[in-house]
Amino acid sequence: MIKGVNKRIVEINRTNDEYFDKAILFVSDGVGEVSPKQLSQHAENYLKKIGRRKNDTFKFFFTAIISAISTLLLTAIIMLILL
């Protein structure tokens, strides 16, 4: 349910996402007068940023796993040399 008649809304119909066809964003009350073009551009940038988060998380875990494996291999090599 949407309360209030004066809410400004930005609707993005092409999200370029495999799960979502459309995004509806409600403009904050504190935002002054902004052109519809600026709002649209900001909304698209916001959606791109949200989409990157999924990829950033994958990159973080991939890097962490590679680092852990490298550390284990280096430790094993040092232990073999010392023995």
Side-chain angles (χ1 to χ4, degrees), residues 2-82:
I2 300 173
K3 293 184 178 182
V5 180
N6 295 326
K7 285 286 185 185
R8 292 186 294 170
I9 299 171
V10 177
E11 182 177 334
I12 305 293
N13 291 317
R14 286 172 266 121
T15 61
N16 297 325
D17 187 87
E18 62 183 292
Y19 295 105
F20 303 105
D21 293 326
K22 184 185 290 190
I24 299 173
L25 302 171
F26 295 87
V27 179
S28 298
D29 289 335
V31 175
E33 288 300 316
V34 181
S35 72
K37 184 177 180 179
Q38 286 176 316
L39 280 176
S40 242
Q41 186 61 43
H42 191 73
E44 287 179 21
N45 291 339
Y46 179 72
L47 291 176
K48 286 177 187 174
K49 185 172 80 171
I50 291 173
R52 281 195 304 262
R53 288 182 185 167
K54 177 175 51 176
N55 294 334
D56 289 347
T57 303
F58 173 76
K59 287 178 187 176
F60 172 76
F61 284 116
F62 182 74
T63 304
I65 289 170
I66 295 298
S67 297
I69 291 171
S70 299
T71 303
L72 286 172
L73 288 174
L74 185 60
T75 303
I77 290 170
I78 291 172
M79 300 251 328
L80 286 173
I81 291 172
L82 293 177

